[in-house]
Every structure is written in C-alpha cells, then in structure tokens.
Amino acid sequence: MRSIAVIATLAAGPAFASAQSPSPPDERAGDRYELVKSYETSMKQGEDSSGSSQGHETLLERVVAVRPDGLELEYRGPEPVSKKEGVSDWRFPARVFRPTSGKPQLINQAELEARLDGWLKKHKIPRAACGRWGFSWTAVKIECDPQSAVETIRSYDLRSPDLREGALHREEEALTPAALALQSTGPEGSTFAVRMEIDPEAVRRARAESDVVVGEIMGKPVTLEAAAAARAKERITGTIAVTFVADRTGKAIRRTKVVKLETLSDGVTQTDTASETLERRSVSGPNSRR
C-alpha cells in the first residue's frame, strides 16, 4: 500500500508551466467555480500481489475582487452535511491574493490561526502533536501551518498553465521539462499534451519520506537517511503524461496526469499507475453552464 500512496502523491503534485498567464479579462467578482480532483491508482507486484484505490476531492473557488495587479480569491471545501459535523479542515475558508506575476499570498492568516486554536481545543490535540502523523481511515498529518492552505490550493491550480504549442511544461518529479504539443482544436476548445521521463531520485525520495511516515504511525520509527539508503537499490523507470483541455477562450478547464512507474528490487518487478483528473467547472457568473 505504501507504493500506491507514493505514486498518488506524485500524481497529485502541482504542475508548473513556463510562464504564469495574466488573469483572464472576463473574470468578475462573484464568479464561482467548482474544482474537482478525481484519482485512480493501481499496483501489481510479481504475479500474485495487486491493489487499487480511487476517490475524489472538491474545492470551491470564489472571485472576491478583481484588482489591477491580480485576483483576490476565496477557497472553501464542500458544505458539511450537518452543523454537528462541522468543518473538517480548519484551513478553509482561505482567502488568497493571486498576483498577475509571482506566487499566491495568504490574506487571512490571522483568521486561520484563530480557527486552529479552536480546532485543536475541540479535538483535544496538544500543540506538541503538530506535524505528527496518525491513522484513522487513512494516514493523517496533524497540520498546524496556515501556509499549508496555499500549498493545497496550488494542487488545484488550473489558472497558471501557458497553453500554446511549444510552451515548456515542468513537473517536479520529471527529469526535464518538455514542450506542449497541440493535439486537437475545434469550436469548443483545444487539447494539448506532453510526456516526460520520470526522475528516479524524486521517486526514491518520496518513497523514503513515506517510509518515515509509516514508521511513525506503526510505532517503528526510521530516520530519513536510513529509509533513503534502503530505497537506493531500487531501479526505477517511468513516464509522466499530462493532457490539458482549454475552452475556446484559451483557459484550462481540465488536466489529466498519468504517472506510470516500473520498479525492480530484489529481482521482483512492481508496476504502479496513478491517474489524476482535475476539472474546473463554473457554477455562477457569465461562464456558468447552467
């Protein structure tokens, strides 16, 4: 199961285009979007062992203000089923300023810090537990850094990609960037695709970090150095394929990322595949489908 967790993490990593596109001119305060991330993973080891998982997550985006130098945006998760259930992630709603150039900036950090205090108290979690890992249905990190909200939002970003023929696209776990190729175009929009070779060291590093987490959860701690040394013997090859779909205005509305890995260790070959699709759907404003 650890390998599936690692490849899912790789597939979910933020993508970076060669340049950050300016805010579209038709953005208006009050526009709302639903950002839906769906994933599937599968693993096969030797002839007898296999596993798979699937799921989806949603983030809601609202344009708060359109400024000459960028956009002010608010992000929140789906509404809780009941008031008793409450909001499960104290980091949201989060308000972010997204400049036309540069990195997004968290605006309401003080508000998030106040919510964190209440969340820790409600769940009877001591401050000393911040940064630690536990297990319920899945591995859960006790996250206490408000800036981590920005990192989560980045993983849902479909505003940055520079979608044009020949534009360089980068993925953190790829060896080198590669140029986008126009696959098709029509009245509804265009499709661009790119394929890159995996960086084996990035995979080994992610797996070693996962081993540290698993050790903490299981009560059998292992250092990152020891975990990295154990993973060093693995022979890893693979590819990352990314496909973007843009609407007729050139804005990305869908990104599909497929990571395929083959690992040879102690004479046994393991094949991992992770597919993640991120869609941006307008739910209000001039771009609404309704």
Side-chain angles (χ1 to χ4, degrees):
M1 295 301 294
R2 277 178 284 173
S3 296
I4 292 179
V6 169
I7 196 169
T9 300
L10 289 175
F16 300 89
S18 59
Q20 191 172 36
S21 302
S23 303
D26 60 345
E27 295 281 8
R28 298 181 185 179
D31 283 358
R32 294 184 295 128
Y33 299 90
E34 185 179 57
L35 309 174
V36 181
K37 186 189 296 182
S38 306
Y39 65 87
E40 294 183 6
T41 69
S42 64
M43 178 274 290
K44 181 175 176 57
Q45 187 178 67
E47 297 297 326
D48 304 317
S49 179
S50 63
S52 63
S53 65
Q54 60 182 0
H56 70 276
E57 300 171 346
T58 301
L59 204 60
L60 305 176
E61 177 189 77
R62 179 171 67 92
V63 179
V64 177
V66 180
R67 293 163 39 175
D69 55 345
L71 296 174
E72 189 174 324
L73 305 166
E74 181 188 72
Y75 295 89
R76 63 173 64 231
E79 294 297 325
V81 176
S82 65
K83 290 184 178 180
K84 183 178 179 180
E85 177 185 335
V87 178
S88 60
D89 193 334
W90 61 269
R91 300 174 302 168
F92 297 94
R95 188 164 290 192
V96 170
F97 173 62
R98 181 186 175 88
T100 51
S101 62
K103 297 181 179 179
Q105 306 157 20
L106 183 64
I107 297 174
N108 63 335
Q109 177 157 334
E111 179 186 335
L112 266 62
E113 289 172 346
R115 287 208 301 263
L116 170 62
D117 290 337
W119 183 82
L120 291 173
K121 183 177 180 180
K122 176 182 178 181
H123 294 281
K124 299 179 180 179
I125 299 173
R127 282 273 179 178
C130 290
R132 302 281 300 274
W133 287 82
F135 188 85
S136 54
W137 292 104
T138 59
V140 178
K141 183 181 180 182
I142 301 175
E143 185 61 76
C144 299
D145 182 5
Q147 290 295 327
S148 65
V150 179
E151 291 304 307
T152 297
I153 291 168
R154 283 180 70 220
S155 73
Y156 285 83
D157 178 29
L158 278 179
R159 293 176 178 273
S160 292
D162 180 16
L163 299 185
R164 56 186 174 82
E165 179 85 20
L168 285 181
H169 180 78
R170 296 174 175 84
E171 292 287 338
E172 289 181 337
E173 61 273 21
L175 274 173
T176 58
L180 289 170
L182 178 62
Q183 299 291 297
S184 63
T185 186
E188 298 300 316
S190 303
T191 300
F192 298 85
V194 63
R195 183 182 297 271
M196 293 154 284
E197 294 296 318
I198 200 78
D199 179 357
E201 287 304 317
V203 178
R204 293 189 189 97
R205 183 167 57 251
R207 287 177 174 175
E209 291 170 352
S210 177
D211 291 341
V212 172
V213 170
V214 172
E216 181 177 342
I217 294 172
M218 301 300 293
K220 298 178 180 179
V222 59
T223 66
L224 182 58
E225 292 76 12
R231 292 288 183 180
K233 64 181 180 180
E234 296 178 334
R235 292 178 55 189
I236 301 169
T237 57
T239 59
I240 306 169
V242 184
T243 303
F244 288 99
V245 176
D247 63 16
R248 59 179 180 272
T249 69
K251 294 187 295 185
I253 57 174
R254 185 182 303 113
R255 181 190 73 210
T256 300
K257 179 176 176 180
V258 180
V259 180
K260 295 183 178 181
L261 299 177
E262 188 170 279
T263 304
L264 177 62
S265 180
D266 296 328
V268 178
T269 298
Q270 177 172 308
T271 303
D272 295 278
T273 303
S275 175
E276 178 194 273
T277 298
L278 175 62
E279 293 187 85
R280 184 170 184 259
R281 306 166 182 167
S282 176
V283 293
S284 71
N287 297 319
S288 175
R289 293 181 179 180
R290 295 185 300 175

